[in-house]
Amino acid sequence: MTVPKHCPGSSTFKEPVPEYMSCPKCGTEVEIWSDEVCLPCPNCKTIVFKDRSPSCLDWCAFARECFGPEVYERLKGSTSKESKS
């Protein structure tokens, strides 16, 4: 039996994959990686937030240690969906 090198719940953050969201203002497709929270739309510059499902960041007591404090705060602390133009 092989022991994983890291928590399987963290793989989408540590091995990011692209996700595609539509800009709520202009409809342009925006590529947001799984380790990002938001990006400005390349067309109209509106901040597009990724839909975030519950993850180990929400329930694991070791998440801050696993990701490191800077990454943890960036991923966990940026959950506001306030649009900025």
Side-chain angles (χ1 to χ4, degrees):
M1 184 168 149
T2 305
V3 176
K5 293 181 180 169
H6 57 76
C7 166
S10 68
S11 65
T12 59
F13 301 109
K14 293 187 176 185
E15 298 166 9
V17 294
E19 300 175 20
Y20 299 92
M21 305 288 299
S22 293
C23 173
K25 186 172 183 180
C26 72
T28 298
E29 184 176 73
V30 179
E31 180 182 82
I32 301 179
W33 287 76
S34 57
D35 64 340
E36 298 175 317
V37 176
C38 62
L39 285 175
C41 172
N43 185 48
C44 70
K45 308 301 181 215
T46 297
I47 301 298
V48 179
F49 287 87
K50 180 177 77 170
D51 294 331
R52 190 169 90 72
S53 301
S55 70
C56 58
L57 290 168
D58 300 309
W59 54 263
C60 181
F62 300 100
R64 182 181 296 276
E65 182 180 328
C66 181
F67 289 98
E70 295 84 18
V71 173
Y72 177 85
E73 289 301 324
R74 178 174 56 84
L75 294 172
K76 180 73 174 157
S78 298
T79 57
S80 172
K81 289 198 171 198
E82 296 174 4
S83 290
K84 298 176 185 172
S85 297

